[in-house]
């Protein structure tokens, strides 16, 4: 139903829906009919980024990752569209048009207005900036003139960027450059110019970056080399100052000598014990007399033996100090042999002495005594040498810590130097094997692309239509206008007793309208009469024809009310909704059923009913006993107006008297209908609700149902005993169906209700 309502809403605005797209199409057509044709030319650049196998062999580098390649392509495309490239292309364009007899574009009004001197000055300025690859900074008046020329010819960077498109072809190594313009030759020239200028700019940019990188690494390499040399010189100076040549080797030699000295000392101690024990054993084999003789003989050992013994001891000291050098050992062995020979000569001299039988023991004793003396002397030398070696070894410990610190600094500096050297060499190689851009496809004069004029016209019509429908949908979605009974019932949650269609006639006479053969006013009024009588009477009237569209509450129809509930108040949300007309019409409809009807104008602020029927008697006079029931009671319809003094009902008389007077009227008339103030004046309407049996409301179709109506409706829901019986919607637009042929044609006597 909502969709059908929306389509009905669109149908009501069909003129707008048709006119706006037509206007849009017409405007678009006049705007695009003079657009020139567009020619597109394509050039292509090979980047060398994807396949770099030759560079990888030379530089010993692996191929770049896909993400790195994509990033590089993205940067290249941005550079193609940058001012650094497009400014150079703009210079080429304008220089061509200024110098060539067949320019791409006709001179603009600004360019035509320049003098010959200004044009020569402009040519010189453009050539100088193109040669030096300088952009326009708009700082000087000359640059402003040049920029004005470019802008007037649409050769400025912004205009060129709008006609330029650079895309990478899939995942390939190529970038396609498309340039579009109104001239085929201009498109081809532009595509080639963009490609060549980008290659020139990018090559210069890469070369400059490589040069800066090599220069930086060269300076850093020299600094690292100086640092390494300084560290090495510091170590060298320290070793010279402290007499350290090869500390680990020196420490190793000293430690070995210490071990050897300790080992010789232990061996010498053993020899001393052995020699002493052997000498004691030999002495024990001699008698005291023989020992005296032997001692006397020993004391007379010649000076040669003593001299050789001293030499042997001195040579032993040297042998120990020199680290047990084998050269000294040979000399010692020779000197020992000589000493042994002298001892044997001494023994032979005493061969005829009393100890001749024990001469071997004597010889052994003398030799052992000699060896014992040498061993005892060697112990002192070994101890002295061991102390000297220990002192030297201890002296090397602080040297070792300092030298290790120097060597560690040298290792770090050396590693840094080698790393920078590798990078420097690699950068040098890469600078000679940078990515080589080349134009793989040269653009030819552009081919005309299909015209988009008709497409733009069609799109404008579609967009215009969609925009109108969208706006109408927004208006429909937020529209709270009530036009049909069901909408009012859904909004108010009250039954709709019926509706009165909008009458396309100037007369307001109910009798004439009742007998009017156009529309369904009579049937609609009968239907409302039936619903109201069902609410007021315990025995409702018989159903009358023409009530098939009536909206009623079945539960209320099933209820039975006392016979005396015959006073109906008629109100509305606001004034001007048709309370007076409906009150008179309902009174007329009930009068046709042979009922005595009393019509009271209860709206003291705006007595429209009184003025409409030219009432002779007033309700205030009846309440104050100025008139009586016999004065105004008529057969059919009786009317009590009011004086319109903006009085309140309870201000006229007391509540008890009002109740008595109204009871008197209810007993005299079949139905009493009171037009009361609208719910805008709820304080005055409430007074009538105290004496009213039932309340009905009039709602004018095609008006908003807003917050004010919602608040008043909530009050009606709060009334007790189902006092409010429902709404009657007034001035409903009835759409007349189109005439159709054959059996679809509408019968003459059929109502549009």
């Amino acid at each position: 139903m909502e969709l059908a309502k929306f389509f009905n809403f669109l149908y009501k605005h069909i003129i707008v829906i048709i006119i706006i797209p037509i206007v849009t199409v017409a405007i678009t057509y006049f705007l695009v009919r003079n657009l020139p044709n567009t020619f597109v030319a394509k050039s292509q650049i090979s980047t060398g980024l994807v396949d770099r196998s030759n560079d990888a062999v030379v530089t010993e580098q692996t191929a770049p990752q896909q993400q790195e390649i994509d990033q590089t392509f993205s940067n290249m495309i941005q550079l193609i569209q940058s001012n650094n490239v497009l400014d150079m292309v703009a210079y080429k364009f304008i220089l061509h048009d200024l110098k060539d007899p067949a320019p791409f574009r006709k001179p603009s009004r600004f360019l035509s207005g320049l003098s010959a001197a200004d044009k020569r000055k402009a040519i010189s300025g453009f050539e100088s900036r193109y040669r030096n690859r300088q952009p326009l900074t708009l700082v000087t008046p000359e640059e402003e003139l040049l920029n004005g020329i470019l802008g007037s010819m649409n050769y400025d960077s912004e205009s060129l960027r709008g006609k330029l498109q650079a895309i990478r072809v899939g995942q390939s190594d190529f970038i396609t450059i498309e340039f579009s313009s109104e001239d085929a030759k201009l498109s081809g020239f532009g595509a080639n110019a963009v490609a060549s200028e980008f290659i020139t700019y990018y090559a210069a940019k890469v070369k400059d970056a490589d040069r800066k990188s090599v220069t930086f690494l060269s300076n850093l390499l020299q600094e690292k080399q100086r640092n390494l040399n300084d560290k090495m010189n510091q170590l060298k100076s320290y070793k010279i100052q402290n007499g350290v040549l090869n500390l680990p080797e020196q420490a190793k030699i000293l430690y070995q000598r210490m071990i050897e000295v300790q080992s010789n000392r232990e061996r010498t101690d053993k020899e001393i014990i052995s020699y002493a024990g052997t000498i004691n054993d030999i002495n024990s084999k001699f008698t005291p007399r023989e020992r005296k003789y032997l001692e006397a003989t020993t004391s007379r050992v010649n000076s040669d033996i003593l001299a050789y013994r001293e030499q042997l001891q001195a040579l032993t000291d040297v042998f120990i100090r020199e680290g047990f050098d084998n050269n000294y050992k040979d000399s010692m062995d020779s000197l020992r042999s000589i000493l042994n020979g002298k001892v044997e000569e001494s023994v032979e001299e005493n061969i005829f002495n009393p100890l001749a039988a024990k001469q071997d023991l004597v010889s052994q004793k003398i030799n052992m005594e000699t060896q014992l003396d040498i061993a005892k002397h060697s112990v002192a030398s070994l101890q002295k040498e061991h102390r000297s070696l220990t002192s030297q070894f201890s002296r090397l410990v602080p040297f070792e810590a300092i030298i290790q610190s120097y060597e560690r600094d040298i290792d770090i500096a050396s590693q840094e130097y080698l790393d920078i050297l590798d990078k420097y060499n690699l950068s040098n190689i890469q600078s000679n094997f940078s990515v080589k851009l080349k134009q793989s496809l040269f653009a030819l004069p552009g081919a005309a692309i299909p015209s988009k004029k008709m497409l733009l016209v069609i799109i404008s019509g579609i967009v215009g239509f969609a925009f109108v429908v969208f706006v109408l949908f927004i208006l429909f979605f937020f529209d709270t206008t009530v036009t049909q009974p069901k909408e009012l019932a859904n909004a108010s949650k009250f039954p709709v007793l019926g509706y009165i269609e909008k009458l396309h006639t100037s007369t307001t006479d109910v009798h004439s309208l009742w007998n009017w053969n156009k529309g369904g006013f009579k049937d609609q009024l009968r239907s409302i009469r039936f619903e109201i009588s069902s609410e007021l009477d315990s025995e409702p009237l018989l159903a009358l024809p023409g009530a098939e569209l009536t909206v009623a509450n079945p539960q209320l129809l099933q209820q039975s009310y006392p016979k005396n509930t015959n006073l109906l108040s008629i109100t509305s949300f606001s004034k001007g909704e048709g309370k007076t007309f409906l009150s008179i019409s309902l009174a007329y409809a009930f009068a046709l059923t042979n009922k005595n009807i009393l019509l009271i104008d209860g709206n003291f602020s705006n007595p429209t009913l009184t003025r409409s029927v030219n009432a002779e008697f007033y309700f205030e006079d009846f309440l104050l006993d100025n008139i009586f029931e016999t004065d105004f009671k008529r057969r059919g319809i009786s009317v009590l107006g009011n004086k319109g003094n903006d009085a309140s009902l309870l201000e006229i008389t007391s509540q008890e008297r009002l109740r008595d007077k109204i009871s008197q009227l209810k007993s005299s008339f079949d139905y009493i209908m009171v037009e009361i103030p609208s719910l805008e004046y709820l304080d005055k309407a409430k007074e009538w609700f105290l004496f009213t049996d039932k309340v009905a409301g009039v709602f004018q179709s095609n008006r908003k149902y807003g917050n004010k109506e919602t608040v008043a409706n909530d009050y009606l829901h709060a009334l007790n005993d189902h006092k409010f019986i429902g709404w009657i919607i007034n001035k409903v637009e009835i759409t007349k169906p189109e005439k159709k042929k054959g059996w679809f044609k509408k019968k003459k006597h059929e109502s549009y209700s």
Side-chain angles (χ1 to χ4, degrees):
M1 292 301 293
E2 291 297 331
L3 186 61
K5 182 181 177 183
F6 175 64
F7 283 124
N8 187 36
F9 182 78
L10 294 179
Y11 180 76
K12 291 181 180 179
H13 300 84
I14 190 65
I15 301 300
V16 177
I17 296 175
I18 293 175
I19 290 178
I20 290 182
I22 292 176
V23 172
T24 305
V25 168
I27 293 174
T28 306
Y29 172 75
F30 283 104
L31 289 176
V32 304
R33 64 191 178 94
N34 293 324
L35 287 178
N37 293 327
T38 302
F39 298 87
V40 177
K42 296 181 180 180
S43 64
Q44 202 169 71
I45 296 175
S46 174
T47 63
L49 290 173
V50 176
D51 185 11
R52 300 181 62 183
S53 56
N54 294 332
D55 293 352
V57 171
V58 175
T59 61
E60 296 181 357
Q61 284 187 324
T62 58
Q65 298 296 323
Q66 184 63 39
Q67 183 178 3
E68 182 182 354
I69 293 175
D70 294 340
Q71 184 66 38
T72 305
F73 270 104
S74 179
N75 293 337
M76 285 185 173
I77 290 173
Q78 293 301 317
L79 286 176
I80 290 173
Q81 299 176 345
S82 66
N83 290 344
N84 295 322
V85 175
L86 296 183
D87 283 346
M88 301 301 110
V89 176
Y91 296 159
K92 276 190 171 182
F93 281 158
I94 195 64
L95 287 173
H96 177 275
D97 285 0
L98 289 174
K99 299 169 64 176
D100 198 283
F104 292 129
R105 290 175 177 169
K106 294 180 180 180
S108 64
R109 183 178 301 176
F110 180 81
L111 184 58
S112 300
L114 297 178
S115 63
D118 289 337
K119 289 182 180 180
R120 287 193 298 271
K121 185 177 180 181
I123 292 174
S124 176
F126 283 126
E127 288 178 343
S128 174
R129 281 165 176 75
Y130 178 75
R131 186 169 50 254
N132 298 322
R133 307 195 70 81
Q134 295 177 347
L136 290 175
T137 57
L138 305 180
V139 176
T140 63
E142 179 186 0
E143 290 182 332
E144 292 182 355
L145 173 64
L146 299 180
N147 186 70
I149 295 174
L150 291 177
S152 66
M153 296 292 291
N154 290 328
Y155 286 153
D156 57 291
S157 58
E158 291 299 326
S159 299
L160 296 180
R161 189 176 291 110
K163 298 180 179 299
L164 175 65
Q165 186 177 13
I167 55 174
R168 181 186 178 188
V169 183
Q171 296 296 317
S172 67
D173 192 51
F174 301 96
I175 295 177
T176 298
I177 297 175
E178 296 183 0
F179 191 86
S180 60
S181 69
E182 71 283 359
D183 183 79
K185 293 182 180 180
L186 177 60
S187 298
F189 183 86
N192 290 327
V194 171
S196 63
E197 292 303 325
F198 167 69
I199 291 174
T200 302
Y201 172 75
Y202 190 80
K205 180 175 177 292
V206 172
K207 185 176 180 180
D208 183 63
D210 290 341
R211 180 184 58 80
K212 290 181 179 178
S213 177
V214 171
T215 302
F216 171 76
L217 291 175
S218 176
N219 296 334
L220 186 60
L221 184 64
Q222 293 177 4
E223 180 182 350
K224 294 299 181 182
Q225 188 176 16
R226 287 194 298 270
N227 185 33
L228 177 61
N229 292 335
D230 291 342
K231 297 293 184 184
M232 295 177 67
N233 290 332
Q234 289 178 5
L235 177 61
K236 180 180 178 181
S237 300
Y238 183 81
K239 285 185 176 181
I240 292 174
Q241 291 174 3
N242 294 277
V244 179
L245 295 179
N246 191 339
L247 189 62
E249 189 65 25
Q250 288 180 345
K252 181 179 179 181
I253 293 173
L254 287 176
Y255 187 72
Q256 289 178 351
R257 288 185 61 187
M258 288 172 63
I259 293 175
E260 188 174 356
V261 168
Q262 184 67 23
S263 176
N264 289 333
R265 178 183 173 182
E266 291 175 356
R267 186 176 64 252
T268 302
D269 289 340
K270 292 180 181 179
E271 289 177 352
I272 290 173
I273 295 172
S274 175
Y275 290 151
T278 303
I279 291 173
N280 290 332
D281 290 341
I282 292 174
N283 288 333
S284 65
K285 294 181 180 181
F286 289 95
T287 62
R289 182 173 174 273
E290 291 173 339
R291 282 198 298 272
K292 290 180 181 180
Y293 180 82
L294 181 59
E295 292 174 355
T297 304
T298 302
S299 64
R300 293 191 299 270
V301 176
N302 57 41
S303 60
D304 291 338
I305 294 175
L306 294 175
Y308 283 122
R309 182 180 295 176
E310 290 176 357
Q311 291 179 8
L312 183 60
Q313 291 176 352
L315 190 60
T316 301
D317 292 340
V318 174
F319 175 68
I320 292 172
R321 286 197 305 272
E322 295 299 328
F324 307 100
D325 191 352
N326 290 329
N327 294 328
Y328 293 101
K329 188 175 182 181
D330 294 338
S331 300
M332 290 172 61
D333 292 340
S334 300
L335 189 59
R336 190 176 285 109
S337 298
I338 295 173
L339 181 60
N340 290 335
K342 293 297 182 181
V343 171
E344 291 177 356
E345 290 178 3
S346 175
V347 173
E348 289 177 355
E349 290 179 357
N350 298 320
I351 194 168
F352 297 106
N353 59 35
L355 301 176
K358 298 182 179 180
Q359 60 181 353
D360 291 335
L361 294 176
V362 173
S363 175
Q364 292 178 7
K365 178 181 178 183
I366 293 173
N367 287 330
M368 289 184 182
E369 286 178 348
T370 301
Q371 294 297 330
L372 179 62
D373 292 339
I374 293 172
K376 288 181 178 180
H377 186 76
S378 297
V379 168
S381 299
L382 289 172
Q383 289 178 347
K384 182 179 179 181
E385 182 67 14
H386 188 270
R387 286 193 297 270
S388 177
L389 292 174
T390 302
S391 175
Q392 293 179 26
F393 189 81
S394 300
R395 183 170 172 268
L396 292 179
V397 173
F399 293 160
E400 175 68 16
I402 297 174
I403 290 174
Q404 282 183 358
S405 176
Y406 279 124
E407 289 178 345
R408 183 171 60 253
D409 292 342
I410 290 173
D411 290 340
I412 294 173
S414 176
Q415 186 63 41
E416 291 178 350
Y417 173 78
L418 293 176
D419 291 341
I420 300 301
L421 180 61
D422 291 340
K423 292 180 180 179
Y424 173 76
N425 294 332
L426 182 60
S427 179
N428 252 336
I429 295 173
Q430 285 181 340
S431 63
N432 296 322
F433 291 91
S434 300
V435 177
K436 304 298 182 182
L437 299 178
K438 63 180 180 179
Q439 189 172 354
S440 59
L441 176 64
F442 289 87
L444 299 176
I449 61 176
S451 177
K452 297 181 180 179
K453 299 177 184 178
M454 185 57 64
L455 180 62
L456 292 175
V457 172
I458 295 174
I459 291 176
S460 67
I462 295 174
V463 171
F465 175 79
F467 177 76
V468 173
V469 173
F470 176 74
V471 171
L472 291 177
F473 174 77
I474 296 298
L475 295 177
F476 172 78
F477 184 79
F478 291 101
D479 186 21
T480 58
T481 302
V482 174
T483 59
Q484 299 297 324
K486 185 173 182 179
E487 297 173 5
L488 181 58
N490 291 334
S492 65
K493 306 303 179 184
F494 278 117
V496 177
L497 304 176
Y499 68 93
I500 301 295
E501 68 179 62
K502 188 174 182 179
L503 303 175
H504 300 281
T505 179
S506 59
T507 182
T508 58
D509 182 63
V510 179
H511 178 72
S512 300
L513 292 174
W514 186 272
N515 297 317
W516 191 37
N517 59 359
K518 294 181 179 180
F521 176 75
K522 184 191 329 185
D523 293 339
Q524 294 159 11
L525 204 55
R526 285 172 176 171
S527 176
I528 297 171
R529 181 183 65 187
F530 174 77
E531 298 295 337
I532 292 177
S533 65
S534 299
E535 296 291 340
L536 296 178
D537 297 335
S538 59
E539 296 179 359
L541 296 175
L542 295 176
L544 298 177
E548 56 272 15
L549 295 180
T550 302
V551 180
N553 190 337
Q555 295 180 353
L556 294 179
L557 291 175
Q558 295 174 4
Q559 295 180 4
S560 178
Y561 299 99
K563 180 66 177 177
N564 201 30
T565 57
N566 58 355
L567 194 152
L568 175 67
S569 293
I570 299 176
T571 186
S572 62
F573 282 126
S574 59
K575 62 181 180 180
E577 297 196 57
K579 296 192 301 294
T580 301
F581 177 75
L582 182 64
S583 300
I584 296 173
S585 299
L586 281 177
Y588 182 81
F590 275 104
L592 292 179
T593 60
N594 297 318
K595 300 292 185 180
N596 290 325
I597 308 300
L598 175 60
L599 195 57
I600 300 176
D601 189 354
N603 190 351
F604 297 100
S605 300
N606 185 20
T608 308
L609 179 60
T610 303
R611 292 192 295 266
S612 298
V613 300
N614 295 321
E616 299 178 5
F617 303 98
Y618 301 105
F619 186 59
E620 297 96 327
D621 292 336
F622 174 73
L623 295 178
L624 299 175
D625 290 333
N626 293 330
I627 61 172
F628 299 96
E629 180 182 344
T630 56
D631 296 330
F632 59 83
K633 184 174 181 181
R634 301 287 186 270
R635 180 171 178 79
I637 301 175
S638 302
V639 179
L640 282 178
N642 67 69
K643 297 179 181 180
N645 52 10
D646 195 20
S648 170
L649 183 61
L650 294 176
E651 291 174 356
I652 300 173
T653 184
S654 65
Q655 183 173 347
E656 290 77 9
R657 186 174 180 80
L658 275 170
R659 197 176 302 278
D660 294 339
K661 287 291 185 178
I662 290 176
S663 297
Q664 179 182 346
L665 293 175
K666 289 171 68 176
S667 62
S668 300
F669 293 93
D670 295 319
Y671 295 106
I672 301 175
M673 296 184 184
V674 184
E675 179 191 347
I676 66 175
S678 63
L679 297 178
E680 288 180 329
Y681 310 99
L682 190 58
D683 54 335
K684 297 180 180 180
K686 284 181 180 179
E687 294 181 351
W688 278 105
F689 291 163
L690 296 174
F691 311 100
T692 299
D693 297 325
K694 295 295 179 180
V695 180
V698 180
F699 185 89
Q700 181 179 327
S701 180
N702 284 321
R703 68 181 298 273
K704 301 290 184 181
Y705 190 95
N707 294 330
K708 181 179 68 173
E709 286 75 15
T710 301
V711 172
N713 192 73
D714 292 340
Y715 173 77
L716 296 178
H717 276 284
L719 294 176
N720 296 327
D721 299 328
H722 302 285
K723 182 168 288 190
F724 188 80
I725 60 176
W727 292 98
I728 301 168
I729 186 166
N730 189 27
K731 297 183 181 180
V732 177
E733 290 282 356
I734 302 297
T735 303
K736 185 176 181 181
E738 297 180 358
K739 294 183 179 180
K740 302 178 182 178
K741 296 181 179 180
W743 58 277
F744 287 103
K745 188 174 181 181
K746 192 171 184 64
K747 298 178 182 179
K748 293 183 178 180
H749 65 276
E750 187 173 343
S751 172
Y752 295 111
S753 303

